[in-house]
Amino acid sequence: MPVRIAPSILSADFARLADDIAMCEAGGADVIHVDVMDGRFVPNLTFGAKIIEAVRRVTSLPLDVHMMVVEPERWFDDFAAAGASGMTIHAEVAPHLDRQIARIKELGCRAGVAVNPATPLAFVEEIAHELDLLLVMTVNPGFGAQRFLEYCVGKIARARAMLDEARSGAWLEVDGGINRATVARCHRAGADTFVAGNAVFTAADPRAEIAALRDLATTVTV
Ligand code: DX5
Ligand code: ZN
């Protein structure tokens, strides 16, 4: 199974964002994870199209935009124009998933759906065959540096089975509390794409941390 490491710039130094992104790229990051929060779906506020556009200018890596916002369709056109490679919307605030996913694809982006820790996979089951990415949250979204919720591991395994059953090639992403202690368990459960904010950006050497997460995901067997 492939392993993709996706540093989340939520934990980057915004005054030195270009440097931090260059560092991730040098460390072999596969994707840059961009956390958009609206202060409504989650109790925190981050940024929008202007930052996506600025990030797009300094890297050629795919930009995986995680939209923790209500009414995400309001931003699809702007984010696509700003250079998003993929947009992931939350099932909890997306009552028209079929239409919303189709629109993201129409804009030339990969379409993802995220589920909070307490949200059942049944929310996305009927549409699994249409997904380019399924994000299983392993913390309650809103903040970086939270503790990984252990009970989500079983859900990752069920998500893997659900995608396989649907013959879906969607990436199975995990986000929240991913670090050296948790990455292997998520990989073993079937995740292939690992978001890491705090673990990468508080490391003494973020480049080495990206490599370490990748190695641990694939080699640790206990
Ligand atoms: C949480 C965000 C995450 C966050 C992960 O709401 O969606 O992407 O940045 O951060 P860590 O890796 O610090 O848990
Ligand atoms: Zn995220």
Side-chain angles (χ1 to χ4, degrees):
M1 202 154 49
V3 171
R4 297 176 205 91
I5 306 293
S8 162
I9 58 165
L10 185 63
S11 297
D13 178 349
F14 285 8
R16 298 167 40 86
L17 195 50
D19 294 344
D20 276 3
I21 290 167
M23 190 164 60
C24 292
E25 210 166 331
D30 301 280
V31 173
I32 299 293
H33 185 85
V34 182
D35 285 310
V36 174
M37 302 185 188
D38 67 352
R40 293 182 62 200
F41 177 59
V42 290
N44 198 3
L45 193 59
T46 57
F47 43 70
K50 285 278 284 180
I51 295 285
I52 296 170
E53 194 269 330
V55 172
R56 178 73 291 161
R57 272 188 278 120
V58 299
T59 182
S60 55
L61 289 176
L63 301 184
D64 168 30
V65 180
H66 178 191
M67 301 177 68
M68 287 162 276
V69 305
V70 299
E71 300 170 359
E73 62 281 358
R74 290 176 57 196
W75 312 108
F76 289 167
D77 290 61
D78 286 356
F79 288 5
S85 313
M87 290 186 252
T88 299
I89 61 178
H90 267 265
E92 300 83 1
V93 282
H96 305 291
L97 268 183
D98 182 85
R99 182 189 299 149
Q100 289 161 306
I101 286 168
R103 180 62 184 150
I104 293 172
K105 290 181 176 178
E106 241 172 53
L107 289 165
C109 294
R110 292 174 56 85
V113 176
V115 285
N116 280 340
T119 301
L121 289 171
F123 269 54
V124 293
E125 199 178 337
E126 304 300 331
I127 198 86
H129 60 285
E130 290 290 342
L131 300 181
D132 294 315
L133 181 150
L134 174 60
L135 169 51
V136 174
M137 290 302 303
T138 42
V139 298
N140 291 298
F143 302 93
Q146 300 184 81
R147 196 171 49 83
F148 179 82
L149 296 171
E150 286 295 334
Y151 70 83
C152 296
V153 175
K155 190 180 184 181
I156 298 166
R158 291 195 303 279
R160 177 82 271 157
M162 182 186 79
L163 292 174
D164 290 350
E165 167 83 10
R167 298 185 194 288
S168 167
W171 297 0
L172 180 50
E173 186 173 59
V174 286
D175 183 6
I178 301 300
N179 55 35
R180 291 184 187 219
T182 56
V183 69
R185 253 170 301 153
C186 295
H187 183 257
R188 264 205 313 279
D192 53 33
T193 305
F194 304 86
V195 176
N198 189 57
V200 167
F201 288 103
T202 63
D205 181 353
R207 285 168 299 189
E209 198 62 25
I210 291 168
L213 291 174
R214 186 190 307 286
D215 288 352
L216 280 166
T218 45
T219 56
V220 171
T221 54
V222 284

